[in-house]
Amino acid sequence: MTLIADILVALIALLHVYIMVLEMVLWTRPAGLRAFNNTPEKAQATAVLAANQGLYNGFLAAGLAFGLFYVPLFGDAAAALHIKSFFLACIAIAGLYGAATAARKILYIQSLPAVLALLLLWL
């Protein structure tokens, strides 16, 4: 079960790296415009805010990666569990907020996988 949970955590980390790239690099380009249903004018006006948001997504991905590599580096499985749990909880809460304020699909893209990973980690 730990392996499946860690694979899901890794996929969530990769998802957040992808979101980071969309928000920091591709925000005003066709891929970013499509992903966030933006107009070029709105994207240009919000590019700095999106880049800041993307940086936070990068930090979430880095936190999950740190949790995944914690056991091989330091040998403490309990600490790794808590690190992964913390970052997954942050992602789930951010997804709830995003679903309530921006787009409902964020609930399924961000919160649901994070909650599923949390459940698998703790089983």
Side-chain angles (χ1 to χ4, degrees), residues 8-24 36 53-65 87-88 90-92 94-95 106 109-114:
L8 185 55
V9 169
L11 290 173
I12 293 168
L14 290 173
L15 172 66
H16 281 272
V17 168
Y18 174 68
I19 294 169
M20 177 191 73
V21 170
L22 280 173
E23 292 172 340
M24 294 186 81
F36 297 101
Q53 187 171 296
L55 185 62
Y56 285 98
N57 277 294
F59 290 144
L60 292 171
L64 291 177
F87 283 97
L88 288 169
C90 289
I91 289 168
I106 297 171
I109 294 170
Q110 190 170 325
S111 290
L112 188 62

PDB file of all heavy atoms in Angstrom, residues 8-24 36 53-65 87-88 90-92 94-95 106 109-114:
ATOM      1  N   LEU A   8       1.171   7.726  -6.108  1.00  0.00           N
ATOM      2  CA  LEU A   8       0.167   8.787  -6.216  1.00  0.00           C
ATOM      3  C   LEU A   8       0.740  10.125  -5.754  1.00  0.00           C
ATOM      4  O   LEU A   8       0.508  11.156  -6.395  1.00  0.00           O
ATOM      5  CB  LEU A   8      -1.089   8.424  -5.423  1.00  0.00           C
ATOM      6  CG  LEU A   8      -2.265   9.384  -5.549  1.00  0.00           C
ATOM      7  CD1 LEU A   8      -2.668   9.602  -7.008  1.00  0.00           C
ATOM      8  CD2 LEU A   8      -3.455   8.863  -4.744  1.00  0.00           C
ATOM      9  N   VAL A   9       1.505  10.121  -4.675  1.00  0.00           N
ATOM     10  CA  VAL A   9       2.156  11.357  -4.207  1.00  0.00           C
ATOM     11  C   VAL A   9       3.087  11.900  -5.295  1.00  0.00           C
ATOM     12  O   VAL A   9       3.100  13.104  -5.568  1.00  0.00           O
ATOM     13  CB  VAL A   9       2.921  11.108  -2.887  1.00  0.00           C
ATOM     14  CG1 VAL A   9       3.807  12.300  -2.534  1.00  0.00           C
ATOM     15  CG2 VAL A   9       1.950  10.817  -1.752  1.00  0.00           C
ATOM     16  N   ALA A  10       3.847  11.028  -5.933  1.00  0.00           N
ATOM     17  CA  ALA A  10       4.753  11.460  -7.007  1.00  0.00           C
ATOM     18  C   ALA A  10       3.966  12.048  -8.180  1.00  0.00           C
ATOM     19  O   ALA A  10       4.370  13.072  -8.753  1.00  0.00           O
ATOM     20  CB  ALA A  10       5.617  10.289  -7.473  1.00  0.00           C
ATOM     21  N   LEU A  11       2.855  11.433  -8.531  1.00  0.00           N
ATOM     22  CA  LEU A  11       2.024  11.957  -9.620  1.00  0.00           C
ATOM     23  C   LEU A  11       1.450  13.327  -9.269  1.00  0.00           C
ATOM     24  O   LEU A  11       1.388  14.225 -10.123  1.00  0.00           O
ATOM     25  CB  LEU A  11       0.906  10.971  -9.964  1.00  0.00           C
ATOM     26  CG  LEU A  11       1.356   9.676 -10.632  1.00  0.00           C
ATOM     27  CD1 LEU A  11       0.177   8.701 -10.763  1.00  0.00           C
ATOM     28  CD2 LEU A  11       1.977   9.951 -11.990  1.00  0.00           C
ATOM     29  N   ILE A  12       1.047  13.493  -8.026  1.00  0.00           N
ATOM     30  CA  ILE A  12       0.527  14.792  -7.581  1.00  0.00           C
ATOM     31  C   ILE A  12       1.640  15.833  -7.622  1.00  0.00           C
ATOM     32  O   ILE A  12       1.422  16.979  -8.032  1.00  0.00           O
ATOM     33  CB  ILE A  12      -0.112  14.671  -6.183  1.00  0.00           C
ATOM     34  CG1 ILE A  12      -1.375  13.803  -6.262  1.00  0.00           C
ATOM     35  CG2 ILE A  12      -0.434  16.050  -5.607  1.00  0.00           C
ATOM     36  CD1 ILE A  12      -1.924  13.375  -4.921  1.00  0.00           C
ATOM     37  N   ALA A  13       2.839  15.456  -7.215  1.00  0.00           N
ATOM     38  CA  ALA A  13       3.978  16.381  -7.293  1.00  0.00           C
ATOM     39  C   ALA A  13       4.227  16.789  -8.741  1.00  0.00           C
ATOM     40  O   ALA A  13       4.439  17.977  -9.029  1.00  0.00           O
ATOM     41  CB  ALA A  13       5.224  15.736  -6.686  1.00  0.00           C
ATOM     42  N   LEU A  14       4.200  15.825  -9.650  1.00  0.00           N
ATOM     43  CA  LEU A  14       4.389  16.133 -11.074  1.00  0.00           C
ATOM     44  C   LEU A  14       3.280  17.035 -11.605  1.00  0.00           C
ATOM     45  O   LEU A  14       3.534  17.935 -12.411  1.00  0.00           O
ATOM     46  CB  LEU A  14       4.476  14.848 -11.890  1.00  0.00           C
ATOM     47  CG  LEU A  14       5.739  14.024 -11.693  1.00  0.00           C
ATOM     48  CD1 LEU A  14       5.628  12.690 -12.440  1.00  0.00           C
ATOM     49  CD2 LEU A  14       6.964  14.794 -12.157  1.00  0.00           C
ATOM     50  N   LEU A  15       2.047  16.800 -11.150  1.00  0.00           N
ATOM     51  CA  LEU A  15       0.934  17.661 -11.541  1.00  0.00           C
ATOM     52  C   LEU A  15       1.204  19.101 -11.119  1.00  0.00           C
ATOM     53  O   LEU A  15       0.976  20.037 -11.888  1.00  0.00           O
ATOM     54  CB  LEU A  15      -0.378  17.160 -10.924  1.00  0.00           C
ATOM     55  CG  LEU A  15      -1.592  18.073 -11.084  1.00  0.00           C
ATOM     56  CD1 LEU A  15      -1.987  18.186 -12.545  1.00  0.00           C
ATOM     57  CD2 LEU A  15      -2.747  17.569 -10.244  1.00  0.00           C
ATOM     58  N   HIS A  16       1.734  19.271  -9.922  1.00  0.00           N
ATOM     59  CA  HIS A  16       1.998  20.627  -9.443  1.00  0.00           C
ATOM     60  C   HIS A  16       3.196  21.268 -10.134  1.00  0.00           C
ATOM     61  O   HIS A  16       3.236  22.496 -10.293  1.00  0.00           O
ATOM     62  CB  HIS A  16       2.092  20.644  -7.919  1.00  0.00           C
ATOM     63  CG  HIS A  16       0.720  20.620  -7.317  1.00  0.00           C
ATOM     64  ND1 HIS A  16      -0.004  21.747  -7.073  1.00  0.00           N
ATOM     65  CD2 HIS A  16      -0.079  19.577  -6.995  1.00  0.00           C
ATOM     66  CE1 HIS A  16      -1.193  21.410  -6.608  1.00  0.00           C
ATOM     67  NE2 HIS A  16      -1.258  20.090  -6.556  1.00  0.00           N
ATOM     68  N   VAL A  17       4.128  20.477 -10.585  1.00  0.00           N
ATOM     69  CA  VAL A  17       5.207  21.015 -11.426  1.00  0.00           C
ATOM     70  C   VAL A  17       4.609  21.497 -12.752  1.00  0.00           C
ATOM     71  O   VAL A  17       4.934  22.586 -13.238  1.00  0.00           O
ATOM     72  CB  VAL A  17       6.312  19.968 -11.666  1.00  0.00           C
ATOM     73  CG1 VAL A  17       7.269  20.431 -12.759  1.00  0.00           C
ATOM     74  CG2 VAL A  17       7.062  19.681 -10.377  1.00  0.00           C
ATOM     75  N   TYR A  18       3.708  20.707 -13.317  1.00  0.00           N
ATOM     76  CA  TYR A  18       3.039  21.089 -14.564  1.00  0.00           C
ATOM     77  C   TYR A  18       2.231  22.381 -14.380  1.00  0.00           C
ATOM     78  O   TYR A  18       2.306  23.293 -15.212  1.00  0.00           O
ATOM     79  CB  TYR A  18       2.135  19.944 -15.035  1.00  0.00           C
ATOM     80  CG  TYR A  18       1.299  20.273 -16.232  1.00  0.00           C
ATOM     81  CD1 TYR A  18       1.877  20.484 -17.478  1.00  0.00           C
ATOM     82  CD2 TYR A  18      -0.084  20.354 -16.133  1.00  0.00           C
ATOM     83  CE1 TYR A  18       1.105  20.785 -18.594  1.00  0.00           C
ATOM     84  CE2 TYR A  18      -0.864  20.648 -17.235  1.00  0.00           C
ATOM     85  CZ  TYR A  18      -0.272  20.868 -18.464  1.00  0.00           C
ATOM     86  OH  TYR A  18      -1.034  21.164 -19.558  1.00  0.00           O
ATOM     87  N   ILE A  19       1.482  22.474 -13.280  1.00  0.00           N
ATOM     88  CA  ILE A  19       0.711  23.694 -12.999  1.00  0.00           C
ATOM     89  C   ILE A  19       1.660  24.881 -12.836  1.00  0.00           C
ATOM     90  O   ILE A  19       1.381  25.980 -13.331  1.00  0.00           O
ATOM     91  CB  ILE A  19      -0.187  23.506 -11.763  1.00  0.00           C
ATOM     92  CG1 ILE A  19      -1.272  22.462 -12.042  1.00  0.00           C
ATOM     93  CG2 ILE A  19      -0.823  24.832 -11.353  1.00  0.00           C
ATOM     94  CD1 ILE A  19      -2.044  22.013 -10.814  1.00  0.00           C
ATOM     95  N   MET A  20       2.783  24.656 -12.165  1.00  0.00           N
ATOM     96  CA  MET A  20       3.775  25.718 -11.989  1.00  0.00           C
ATOM     97  C   MET A  20       4.255  26.230 -13.355  1.00  0.00           C
ATOM     98  O   MET A  20       4.318  27.442 -13.588  1.00  0.00           O
ATOM     99  CB  MET A  20       4.967  25.217 -11.178  1.00  0.00           C
ATOM    100  CG  MET A  20       6.079  26.245 -11.010  1.00  0.00           C
ATOM    101  SD  MET A  20       7.595  25.564 -10.327  1.00  0.00           S
ATOM    102  CE  MET A  20       8.209  24.619 -11.724  1.00  0.00           C
ATOM    103  N   VAL A  21       4.564  25.312 -14.263  1.00  0.00           N
ATOM    104  CA  VAL A  21       5.029  25.706 -15.598  1.00  0.00           C
ATOM    105  C   VAL A  21       3.922  26.457 -16.344  1.00  0.00           C
ATOM    106  O   VAL A  21       4.186  27.487 -16.983  1.00  0.00           O
ATOM    107  CB  VAL A  21       5.515  24.475 -16.397  1.00  0.00           C
ATOM    108  CG1 VAL A  21       5.763  24.828 -17.854  1.00  0.00           C
ATOM    109  CG2 VAL A  21       6.762  23.897 -15.754  1.00  0.00           C
ATOM    110  N   LEU A  22       2.692  25.965 -16.245  1.00  0.00           N
ATOM    111  CA  LEU A  22       1.577  26.662 -16.895  1.00  0.00           C
ATOM    112  C   LEU A  22       1.447  28.093 -16.376  1.00  0.00           C
ATOM    113  O   LEU A  22       1.242  29.030 -17.154  1.00  0.00           O
ATOM    114  CB  LEU A  22       0.260  25.912 -16.651  1.00  0.00           C
ATOM    115  CG  LEU A  22      -0.034  24.705 -17.511  1.00  0.00           C
ATOM    116  CD1 LEU A  22      -1.296  23.994 -17.022  1.00  0.00           C
ATOM    117  CD2 LEU A  22      -0.191  25.098 -18.974  1.00  0.00           C
ATOM    118  N   GLU A  23       1.557  28.256 -15.064  1.00  0.00           N
ATOM    119  CA  GLU A  23       1.327  29.572 -14.474  1.00  0.00           C
ATOM    120  C   GLU A  23       2.528  30.505 -14.601  1.00  0.00           C
ATOM    121  O   GLU A  23       2.356  31.714 -14.731  1.00  0.00           O
ATOM    122  CB  GLU A  23       0.938  29.413 -12.999  1.00  0.00           C
ATOM    123  CG  GLU A  23      -0.426  28.763 -12.842  1.00  0.00           C
ATOM    124  CD  GLU A  23      -0.794  28.414 -11.421  1.00  0.00           C
ATOM    125  OE1 GLU A  23       0.110  28.311 -10.554  1.00  0.00           O
ATOM    126  OE2 GLU A  23      -2.000  28.231 -11.168  1.00  0.00           O
ATOM    127  N   MET A  24       3.736  29.956 -14.574  1.00  0.00           N
ATOM    128  CA  MET A  24       4.917  30.808 -14.597  1.00  0.00           C
ATOM    129  C   MET A  24       5.468  31.050 -16.003  1.00  0.00           C
ATOM    130  O   MET A  24       6.045  32.106 -16.265  1.00  0.00           O
ATOM    131  CB  MET A  24       6.021  30.211 -13.719  1.00  0.00           C
ATOM    132  CG  MET A  24       5.664  30.199 -12.257  1.00  0.00           C
ATOM    133  SD  MET A  24       7.028  29.665 -11.223  1.00  0.00           S
ATOM    134  CE  MET A  24       7.953  31.202 -11.130  1.00  0.00           C
ATOM    135  N   PHE A  36      -6.516  27.629 -18.589  1.00  0.00           N
ATOM    136  CA  PHE A  36      -7.214  28.457 -17.605  1.00  0.00           C
ATOM    137  C   PHE A  36      -8.355  29.269 -18.215  1.00  0.00           C
ATOM    138  O   PHE A  36      -8.897  30.164 -17.564  1.00  0.00           O
ATOM    139  CB  PHE A  36      -6.207  29.375 -16.896  1.00  0.00           C
ATOM    140  CG  PHE A  36      -5.186  28.604 -16.114  1.00  0.00           C
ATOM    141  CD1 PHE A  36      -3.918  28.399 -16.623  1.00  0.00           C
ATOM    142  CD2 PHE A  36      -5.501  28.047 -14.888  1.00  0.00           C
ATOM    143  CE1 PHE A  36      -2.972  27.671 -15.914  1.00  0.00           C
ATOM    144  CE2 PHE A  36      -4.569  27.315 -14.172  1.00  0.00           C
ATOM    145  CZ  PHE A  36      -3.299  27.124 -14.687  1.00  0.00           C
ATOM    146  N   GLN A  53       1.564  32.632  -8.058  1.00  0.00           N
ATOM    147  CA  GLN A  53       0.782  31.432  -7.747  1.00  0.00           C
ATOM    148  C   GLN A  53       1.519  30.178  -8.211  1.00  0.00           C
ATOM    149  O   GLN A  53       1.530  29.157  -7.517  1.00  0.00           O
ATOM    150  CB  GLN A  53      -0.573  31.552  -8.443  1.00  0.00           C
ATOM    151  CG  GLN A  53      -1.557  30.478  -8.083  1.00  0.00           C
ATOM    152  CD  GLN A  53      -2.926  30.816  -8.644  1.00  0.00           C
ATOM    153  OE1 GLN A  53      -3.531  31.808  -8.267  1.00  0.00           O
ATOM    154  NE2 GLN A  53      -3.405  29.990  -9.556  1.00  0.00           N
ATOM    155  N   GLY A  54       2.135  30.252  -9.364  1.00  0.00           N
ATOM    156  CA  GLY A  54       2.907  29.124  -9.873  1.00  0.00           C
ATOM    157  C   GLY A  54       4.067  28.773  -8.967  1.00  0.00           C
ATOM    158  O   GLY A  54       4.377  27.592  -8.762  1.00  0.00           O
ATOM    159  N   LEU A  55       4.711  29.773  -8.419  1.00  0.00           N
ATOM    160  CA  LEU A  55       5.814  29.532  -7.500  1.00  0.00           C
ATOM    161  C   LEU A  55       5.340  28.730  -6.288  1.00  0.00           C
ATOM    162  O   LEU A  55       6.007  27.792  -5.848  1.00  0.00           O
ATOM    163  CB  LEU A  55       6.433  30.863  -7.060  1.00  0.00           C
ATOM    164  CG  LEU A  55       7.681  30.772  -6.195  1.00  0.00           C
ATOM    165  CD1 LEU A  55       8.813  30.090  -6.953  1.00  0.00           C
ATOM    166  CD2 LEU A  55       8.104  32.164  -5.763  1.00  0.00           C
ATOM    167  N   TYR A  56       4.173  29.064  -5.768  1.00  0.00           N
ATOM    168  CA  TYR A  56       3.614  28.315  -4.641  1.00  0.00           C
ATOM    169  C   TYR A  56       3.322  26.865  -5.024  1.00  0.00           C
ATOM    170  O   TYR A  56       3.552  25.956  -4.231  1.00  0.00           O
ATOM    171  CB  TYR A  56       2.357  28.992  -4.095  1.00  0.00           C
ATOM    172  CG  TYR A  56       2.675  30.221  -3.286  1.00  0.00           C
ATOM    173  CD1 TYR A  56       2.602  31.488  -3.855  1.00  0.00           C
ATOM    174  CD2 TYR A  56       3.083  30.114  -1.964  1.00  0.00           C
ATOM    175  CE1 TYR A  56       2.916  32.619  -3.124  1.00  0.00           C
ATOM    176  CE2 TYR A  56       3.398  31.243  -1.221  1.00  0.00           C
ATOM    177  CZ  TYR A  56       3.309  32.487  -1.802  1.00  0.00           C
ATOM    178  OH  TYR A  56       3.624  33.604  -1.067  1.00  0.00           O
ATOM    179  N   ASN A  57       2.832  26.647  -6.240  1.00  0.00           N
ATOM    180  CA  ASN A  57       2.631  25.272  -6.694  1.00  0.00           C
ATOM    181  C   ASN A  57       3.950  24.520  -6.777  1.00  0.00           C
ATOM    182  O   ASN A  57       4.027  23.333  -6.472  1.00  0.00           O
ATOM    183  CB  ASN A  57       1.896  25.249  -8.040  1.00  0.00           C
ATOM    184  CG  ASN A  57       0.412  25.381  -7.858  1.00  0.00           C
ATOM    185  OD1 ASN A  57      -0.230  24.506  -7.303  1.00  0.00           O
ATOM    186  ND2 ASN A  57      -0.147  26.489  -8.304  1.00  0.00           N
ATOM    187  N   GLY A  58       5.002  25.219  -7.167  1.00  0.00           N
ATOM    188  CA  GLY A  58       6.331  24.616  -7.181  1.00  0.00           C
ATOM    189  C   GLY A  58       6.789  24.230  -5.784  1.00  0.00           C
ATOM    190  O   GLY A  58       7.395  23.166  -5.576  1.00  0.00           O
ATOM    191  N   PHE A  59       6.494  25.077  -4.799  1.00  0.00           N
ATOM    192  CA  PHE A  59       6.843  24.751  -3.412  1.00  0.00           C
ATOM    193  C   PHE A  59       6.081  23.523  -2.922  1.00  0.00           C
ATOM    194  O   PHE A  59       6.634  22.692  -2.188  1.00  0.00           O
ATOM    195  CB  PHE A  59       6.567  25.932  -2.483  1.00  0.00           C
ATOM    196  CG  PHE A  59       7.497  27.093  -2.658  1.00  0.00           C
ATOM    197  CD1 PHE A  59       7.031  28.385  -2.521  1.00  0.00           C
ATOM    198  CD2 PHE A  59       8.842  26.909  -2.961  1.00  0.00           C
ATOM    199  CE1 PHE A  59       7.881  29.466  -2.667  1.00  0.00           C
ATOM    200  CE2 PHE A  59       9.704  27.981  -3.119  1.00  0.00           C
ATOM    201  CZ  PHE A  59       9.222  29.272  -2.969  1.00  0.00           C
ATOM    202  N   LEU A  60       4.822  23.392  -3.314  1.00  0.00           N
ATOM    203  CA  LEU A  60       4.053  22.207  -2.931  1.00  0.00           C
ATOM    204  C   LEU A  60       4.666  20.952  -3.534  1.00  0.00           C
ATOM    205  O   LEU A  60       4.809  19.930  -2.855  1.00  0.00           O
ATOM    206  CB  LEU A  60       2.591  22.361  -3.365  1.00  0.00           C
ATOM    207  CG  LEU A  60       1.786  23.429  -2.624  1.00  0.00           C
ATOM    208  CD1 LEU A  60       0.435  23.640  -3.300  1.00  0.00           C
ATOM    209  CD2 LEU A  60       1.613  23.084  -1.159  1.00  0.00           C
ATOM    210  N   ALA A  61       5.048  21.028  -4.799  1.00  0.00           N
ATOM    211  CA  ALA A  61       5.693  19.887  -5.455  1.00  0.00           C
ATOM    212  C   ALA A  61       7.019  19.562  -4.772  1.00  0.00           C
ATOM    213  O   ALA A  61       7.338  18.386  -4.538  1.00  0.00           O
ATOM    214  CB  ALA A  61       5.922  20.191  -6.940  1.00  0.00           C
ATOM    215  N   ALA A  62       7.794  20.581  -4.431  1.00  0.00           N
ATOM    216  CA  ALA A  62       9.078  20.360  -3.758  1.00  0.00           C
ATOM    217  C   ALA A  62       8.875  19.710  -2.394  1.00  0.00           C
ATOM    218  O   ALA A  62       9.643  18.818  -1.996  1.00  0.00           O
ATOM    219  CB  ALA A  62       9.831  21.678  -3.613  1.00  0.00           C
ATOM    220  N   GLY A  63       7.848  20.121  -1.677  1.00  0.00           N
ATOM    221  CA  GLY A  63       7.558  19.523  -0.375  1.00  0.00           C
ATOM    222  C   GLY A  63       7.208  18.053  -0.492  1.00  0.00           C
ATOM    223  O   GLY A  63       7.659  17.223   0.317  1.00  0.00           O
ATOM    224  N   LEU A  64       6.401  17.715  -1.491  1.00  0.00           N
ATOM    225  CA  LEU A  64       6.061  16.308  -1.703  1.00  0.00           C
ATOM    226  C   LEU A  64       7.286  15.499  -2.099  1.00  0.00           C
ATOM    227  O   LEU A  64       7.490  14.378  -1.611  1.00  0.00           O
ATOM    228  CB  LEU A  64       4.972  16.171  -2.769  1.00  0.00           C
ATOM    229  CG  LEU A  64       3.585  16.681  -2.382  1.00  0.00           C
ATOM    230  CD1 LEU A  64       2.632  16.545  -3.564  1.00  0.00           C
ATOM    231  CD2 LEU A  64       3.036  15.942  -1.174  1.00  0.00           C
ATOM    232  N   ALA A  65       8.123  16.066  -2.959  1.00  0.00           N
ATOM    233  CA  ALA A  65       9.356  15.374  -3.353  1.00  0.00           C
ATOM    234  C   ALA A  65      10.268  15.169  -2.146  1.00  0.00           C
ATOM    235  O   ALA A  65      10.866  14.091  -1.978  1.00  0.00           O
ATOM    236  CB  ALA A  65      10.081  16.164  -4.441  1.00  0.00           C
ATOM    237  N   PHE A  87       1.919  18.389   3.234  1.00  0.00           N
ATOM    238  CA  PHE A  87       1.818  19.004   1.917  1.00  0.00           C
ATOM    239  C   PHE A  87       0.559  18.556   1.179  1.00  0.00           C
ATOM    240  O   PHE A  87      -0.064  19.354   0.467  1.00  0.00           O
ATOM    241  CB  PHE A  87       3.093  18.765   1.103  1.00  0.00           C
ATOM    242  CG  PHE A  87       4.204  19.663   1.536  1.00  0.00           C
ATOM    243  CD1 PHE A  87       5.169  19.218   2.420  1.00  0.00           C
ATOM    244  CD2 PHE A  87       4.278  20.973   1.095  1.00  0.00           C
ATOM    245  CE1 PHE A  87       6.186  20.055   2.852  1.00  0.00           C
ATOM    246  CE2 PHE A  87       5.283  21.826   1.518  1.00  0.00           C
ATOM    247  CZ  PHE A  87       6.245  21.366   2.406  1.00  0.00           C
ATOM    248  N   LEU A  88       0.148  17.320   1.349  1.00  0.00           N
ATOM    249  CA  LEU A  88      -1.107  16.869   0.744  1.00  0.00           C
ATOM    250  C   LEU A  88      -2.304  17.604   1.351  1.00  0.00           C
ATOM    251  O   LEU A  88      -3.242  17.968   0.632  1.00  0.00           O
ATOM    252  CB  LEU A  88      -1.276  15.358   0.903  1.00  0.00           C
ATOM    253  CG  LEU A  88      -0.357  14.510   0.033  1.00  0.00           C
ATOM    254  CD1 LEU A  88      -0.419  13.047   0.468  1.00  0.00           C
ATOM    255  CD2 LEU A  88      -0.700  14.640  -1.443  1.00  0.00           C
ATOM    256  N   CYS A  90      -2.224  20.634   2.588  1.00  0.00           N
ATOM    257  CA  CYS A  90      -2.169  21.986   2.008  1.00  0.00           C
ATOM    258  C   CYS A  90      -2.784  22.001   0.614  1.00  0.00           C
ATOM    259  O   CYS A  90      -3.554  22.904   0.267  1.00  0.00           O
ATOM    260  CB  CYS A  90      -0.727  22.476   1.943  1.00  0.00           C
ATOM    261  SG  CYS A  90       0.012  22.875   3.533  1.00  0.00           S
ATOM    262  N   ILE A  91      -2.458  21.003  -0.184  1.00  0.00           N
ATOM    263  CA  ILE A  91      -2.985  20.908  -1.546  1.00  0.00           C
ATOM    264  C   ILE A  91      -4.496  20.714  -1.520  1.00  0.00           C
ATOM    265  O   ILE A  91      -5.232  21.351  -2.285  1.00  0.00           O
ATOM    266  CB  ILE A  91      -2.283  19.779  -2.320  1.00  0.00           C
ATOM    267  CG1 ILE A  91      -0.833  20.183  -2.622  1.00  0.00           C
ATOM    268  CG2 ILE A  91      -3.028  19.431  -3.609  1.00  0.00           C
ATOM    269  CD1 ILE A  91       0.039  19.056  -3.130  1.00  0.00           C
ATOM    270  N   ALA A  92      -4.981  19.834  -0.651  1.00  0.00           N
ATOM    271  CA  ALA A  92      -6.428  19.585  -0.560  1.00  0.00           C
ATOM    272  C   ALA A  92      -7.170  20.855  -0.157  1.00  0.00           C
ATOM    273  O   ALA A  92      -8.213  21.189  -0.747  1.00  0.00           O
ATOM    274  CB  ALA A  92      -6.700  18.458   0.431  1.00  0.00           C
ATOM    275  N   ALA A  94      -6.107  24.019  -0.458  1.00  0.00           N
ATOM    276  CA  ALA A  94      -6.006  24.991  -1.552  1.00  0.00           C
ATOM    277  C   ALA A  94      -6.981  24.648  -2.676  1.00  0.00           C
ATOM    278  O   ALA A  94      -7.596  25.530  -3.280  1.00  0.00           O
ATOM    279  CB  ALA A  94      -4.576  25.048  -2.087  1.00  0.00           C
ATOM    280  N   GLY A  95      -7.138  23.362  -2.947  1.00  0.00           N
ATOM    281  CA  GLY A  95      -8.090  22.930  -3.968  1.00  0.00           C
ATOM    282  C   GLY A  95      -9.525  23.244  -3.589  1.00  0.00           C
ATOM    283  O   GLY A  95     -10.327  23.648  -4.434  1.00  0.00           O
ATOM    284  N   ILE A 106     -11.270  22.358 -10.068  1.00  0.00           N
ATOM    285  CA  ILE A 106     -10.100  22.282  -9.194  1.00  0.00           C
ATOM    286  C   ILE A 106     -10.320  21.256  -8.090  1.00  0.00           C
ATOM    287  O   ILE A 106      -9.384  20.587  -7.659  1.00  0.00           O
ATOM    288  CB  ILE A 106      -9.756  23.670  -8.620  1.00  0.00           C
ATOM    289  CG1 ILE A 106      -9.373  24.623  -9.759  1.00  0.00           C
ATOM    290  CG2 ILE A 106      -8.638  23.593  -7.591  1.00  0.00           C
ATOM    291  CD1 ILE A 106      -9.227  26.070  -9.335  1.00  0.00           C
ATOM    292  N   ILE A 109      -9.383  17.984  -9.783  1.00  0.00           N
ATOM    293  CA  ILE A 109      -8.004  17.933 -10.268  1.00  0.00           C
ATOM    294  C   ILE A 109      -7.003  17.973  -9.118  1.00  0.00           C
ATOM    295  O   ILE A 109      -5.964  17.331  -9.172  1.00  0.00           O
ATOM    296  CB  ILE A 109      -7.743  19.092 -11.255  1.00  0.00           C
ATOM    297  CG1 ILE A 109      -8.576  18.899 -12.508  1.00  0.00           C
ATOM    298  CG2 ILE A 109      -6.269  19.224 -11.592  1.00  0.00           C
ATOM    299  CD1 ILE A 109      -8.586  20.092 -13.439  1.00  0.00           C
ATOM    300  N   GLN A 110      -7.329  18.726  -8.066  1.00  0.00           N
ATOM    301  CA  GLN A 110      -6.365  18.971  -7.003  1.00  0.00           C
ATOM    302  C   GLN A 110      -6.767  18.323  -5.677  1.00  0.00           C
ATOM    303  O   GLN A 110      -5.988  17.569  -5.098  1.00  0.00           O
ATOM    304  CB  GLN A 110      -6.206  20.482  -6.831  1.00  0.00           C
ATOM    305  CG  GLN A 110      -5.084  20.894  -5.933  1.00  0.00           C
ATOM    306  CD  GLN A 110      -4.828  22.387  -6.012  1.00  0.00           C
ATOM    307  OE1 GLN A 110      -4.964  23.014  -7.046  1.00  0.00           O
ATOM    308  NE2 GLN A 110      -4.459  22.968  -4.889  1.00  0.00           N
ATOM    309  N   SER A 111      -7.944  18.631  -5.177  1.00  0.00           N
ATOM    310  CA  SER A 111      -8.322  18.159  -3.836  1.00  0.00           C
ATOM    311  C   SER A 111      -8.555  16.657  -3.774  1.00  0.00           C
ATOM    312  O   SER A 111      -8.065  15.994  -2.854  1.00  0.00           O
ATOM    313  CB  SER A 111      -9.591  18.877  -3.353  1.00  0.00           C
ATOM    314  OG  SER A 111      -9.315  20.213  -3.089  1.00  0.00           O
ATOM    315  N   LEU A 112      -9.300  16.127  -4.704  1.00  0.00           N
ATOM    316  CA  LEU A 112      -9.637  14.706  -4.667  1.00  0.00           C
ATOM    317  C   LEU A 112      -8.394  13.809  -4.700  1.00  0.00           C
ATOM    318  O   LEU A 112      -8.264  12.911  -3.854  1.00  0.00           O
ATOM    319  CB  LEU A 112     -10.614  14.356  -5.793  1.00  0.00           C
ATOM    320  CG  LEU A 112     -11.194  12.955  -5.775  1.00  0.00           C
ATOM    321  CD1 LEU A 112     -12.009  12.730  -4.509  1.00  0.00           C
ATOM    322  CD2 LEU A 112     -12.051  12.733  -7.001  1.00  0.00           C
ATOM    323  N   PRO A 113      -7.433  14.032  -5.618  1.00  0.00           N
ATOM    324  CA  PRO A 113      -6.226  13.200  -5.584  1.00  0.00           C
ATOM    325  C   PRO A 113      -5.438  13.346  -4.283  1.00  0.00           C
ATOM    326  O   PRO A 113      -4.896  12.363  -3.760  1.00  0.00           O
ATOM    327  CB  PRO A 113      -5.409  13.699  -6.778  1.00  0.00           C
ATOM    328  CG  PRO A 113      -6.401  14.323  -7.689  1.00  0.00           C
ATOM    329  CD  PRO A 113      -7.454  14.903  -6.795  1.00  0.00           C
ATOM    330  N   ALA A 114      -5.380  14.550  -3.735  1.00  0.00           N
ATOM    331  CA  ALA A 114      -4.643  14.760  -2.487  1.00  0.00           C
ATOM    332  C   ALA A 114      -5.300  14.014  -1.332  1.00  0.00           C
ATOM    333  O   ALA A 114      -4.616  13.376  -0.517  1.00  0.00           O
ATOM    334  CB  ALA A 114      -4.544  16.248  -2.173  1.00  0.00           C
TER     335      ALA A 114
END
